[in-house]
Amino acid sequence: MSLTTASSMKTLLDDDDRAMLRELLSDRVAFDEPLAPYTSWKIGGPADAFAQLERENELAAVLTHCVRRRLPWFVLGSGSNLLVGDGGIRGIVLRLGGDFARVEVRASEEGVRVVAGASASMAAITARAASAGAVGIGSLAGIPGTLGGSLRMNAGTDREMGDFIRDVRVQSPSRPAPHSVDVRYFYRRTNLARDAVVVGAELAFARGDAQAVREEMQARLVRRKQTQPIALPNAGSCFRNPEGEKAARLIEAVGAKGWREGDAEVSPLHANFINNLGAASACDVATLLARVRRAVYERFGIGLELEVHLVGVFVDREWDGGHGRVA
Ligand SMILES: Cc1cc2nc3c(=O)[nH]c(=O)nc-3n(C[C@H](O)[C@H](O)[C@H](O)COP(=O)(O)OP(=O)(O)OC[C@H]3O[C@@H](n4cnc5c(N)ncnc54)[C@H](O)[C@@H]3O)c2cc1C
């Protein structure tokens, strides 16, 4: 955890940056916007600017501005795999919507094709694709992310996004116009360039009986409800499964279920989930993650790796006694 300094809490934007964003986005930009409401953990301090982009030309303009001004930016999906620091995120946080939310499903004799924008929810994609009989779509059901975030993470269960993706379109600061890229998929990660913003993708499935596909998907959703604390704020599995092991089994074996740090709690239902019981801070969650990791290492000699992405400024409670913003 980094020691917070006054400079890491200070906005990086100047009046010209704010004027540019207001002119481009009108009321779709907010400054010093708390990010907690935009994450599934309901945790996270303010973004210097929170820009809601609805069109490719807006994204191109913001990325180009960031390069020219050397401003950092971060693209947020549903925030369901993120721990945002209590000190927030410096620079511009981008959230896609509008044109980026489209979902088209085409069923033919060859199979089912889904063409979707990056901010389309996996819930919408899986429901529409299941109705068209997309075989295997159940493995992506219940993932509370967007297409863009799920592609970046290669999210999935027994099958993953990469098994179905046929084309990926991105925009980036060095090439702001939308273009296709080749992506390689690994367990919960991809080789997608760090500065590439996914704007859309095409997925392909074999076509089967729609009723059977829907029933299989429904059964998986029911199983999720029974085994995961989906009604509480969390970010799903915190740690990646080590080769040939289950992180949840190791965490349960060290007796960590129910451990608490402030309002952060290792889920009594699923040991790899950490719930926010109300007022947990990012600092609480990070401290609990470190405690769990240490216990597993001491008992099994296995260093668990994080699946959740940590972003932004992590405020050290002992350093400033709170999460106050330095003006
Ligand atoms: C209850 C629960 C259950 C879950 N179950 C699963 C599961 O079964 N399998 C699984 O794999 N995951 C699971 N997750 C984790 C999470 O839902 C997935 O990782 C999801 O794919 C993240 O998508 P997101 O839109 O929320 O991305 P975010 O959390 O917003 O972002 C994740 C990363 O993707 C990047 N990103 C977001 N959008 C884009 C974009 N357009 N272009 C480029 N990069 C982008 C972000 O910068 C960040 O680095 C679960 C989470 C919860 C809360």
Side-chain angles (χ1 to χ4, degrees):
M1 188 177 305
S2 69
L3 199 61
T4 311
T5 62
S7 62
S8 60
M9 301 289 284
K10 249 187 184 156
T11 180
L12 295 179
L13 304 189
D14 65 17
D15 288 347
D16 290 345
D17 299 319
R18 280 187 273 266
M20 177 272 174
L21 288 167
R22 266 195 214 102
E23 189 174 331
L24 182 73
L25 302 171
S26 174
D27 60 352
R28 285 185 283 117
V29 63
F31 301 101
D32 300 318
E33 177 77 356
L35 292 171
Y38 305 101
T39 70
S40 59
W41 242 322
K42 303 297 167 214
I43 290 173
D48 288 347
F50 182 73
Q52 312 217 43
L53 309 177
E54 297 188 343
R55 286 178 277 281
E56 289 169 348
N57 67 321
E58 292 172 355
L59 176 58
V62 173
L63 292 175
T64 305
H65 181 82
C66 287
V67 174
R68 194 169 56 74
R69 283 270 301 120
R70 296 193 182 174
L71 279 175
W73 53 271
F74 177 80
V75 58
L76 179 74
S78 298
S80 65
N81 199 58
L82 290 180
L83 182 59
V84 177
D86 301 310
I89 297 183
R90 298 293 71 79
I92 306 178
V93 171
L94 313 175
R95 193 159 186 252
L96 307 182
D99 290 354
F100 298 108
R102 71 190 181 281
V103 181
E104 278 170 42
V105 177
R106 292 181 218 133
S108 70
E109 276 166 19
E110 280 110 67
V112 178
R113 293 243 155 196
V114 177
V115 178
S119 72
S121 72
M122 290 307 295
I125 290 173
T126 51
R128 297 266 310 270
S131 295
V135 175
I137 192 70
S139 53
L140 305 179
I143 297 173
T146 59
L147 174 77
S150 301
L151 197 151
R152 158 82 65 196
M153 295 302 305
N154 190 22
T157 51
D158 50 332
R159 300 186 73 188
E160 309 165 325
M161 291 294 285
D163 295 335
F164 306 107
I165 300 275
R166 292 295 170 268
D167 181 44
V168 179
R169 289 177 69 71
V170 302
Q171 294 181 231
S172 66
S174 55
R175 216 173 142 192
H179 56 281
S180 292
V181 287
D182 286 330
V183 179
R184 291 180 61 205
Y185 300 88
F186 308 94
Y187 168 57
R188 297 300 169 267
R189 68 181 181 87
T190 61
N191 71 343
L192 189 68
R194 283 181 79 88
D195 67 350
V197 179
V198 175
V199 291
E202 183 170 334
L203 297 87
F205 303 85
R207 190 173 176 197
D209 174 59
Q211 179 69 15
V213 169
R214 272 201 305 262
E215 279 172 15
E216 194 245 355
M217 186 164 104
Q218 197 49 40
R220 284 175 179 259
L221 291 171
V222 169
R223 212 158 43 242
R224 248 181 212 275
K225 267 197 186 148
Q226 291 163 348
T227 56
Q228 299 180 356
I230 56 175
L232 287 169
N234 59 58
S237 292
C238 293
F239 294 102
R240 298 154 59 88
N241 288 324
E243 188 84 44
E245 248 305 351
K246 291 270 182 225
R249 190 195 75 79
L250 300 172
I251 298 167
E252 188 165 354
V254 298
K257 273 186 166 179
W259 281 3
R260 280 187 66 167
E261 187 69 37
D263 260 358
E265 177 201 49
V266 178
S267 166
L269 187 60
H270 190 308
N272 203 11
F273 281 47
I274 289 184
N275 296 323
N276 175 2
L277 298 180
S281 64
C283 187
D284 292 334
V285 174
T287 306
L288 194 51
L289 286 169
R291 215 174 122 198
V292 166
R293 191 174 185 279
R294 196 178 321 116
V296 168
Y297 187 77
E298 281 169 4
R299 169 90 179 270
F300 297 103
I302 295 174
L304 292 176
E305 287 174 26
L306 284 177
E307 181 168 322
V308 290
H309 288 186
L310 270 55
V311 289
V313 178
F314 279 74
V315 180
D316 189 328
R317 269 180 306 206
E318 276 122 55
W319 173 253
D320 72 354
H323 311 140
R325 184 71 188 268
V326 179

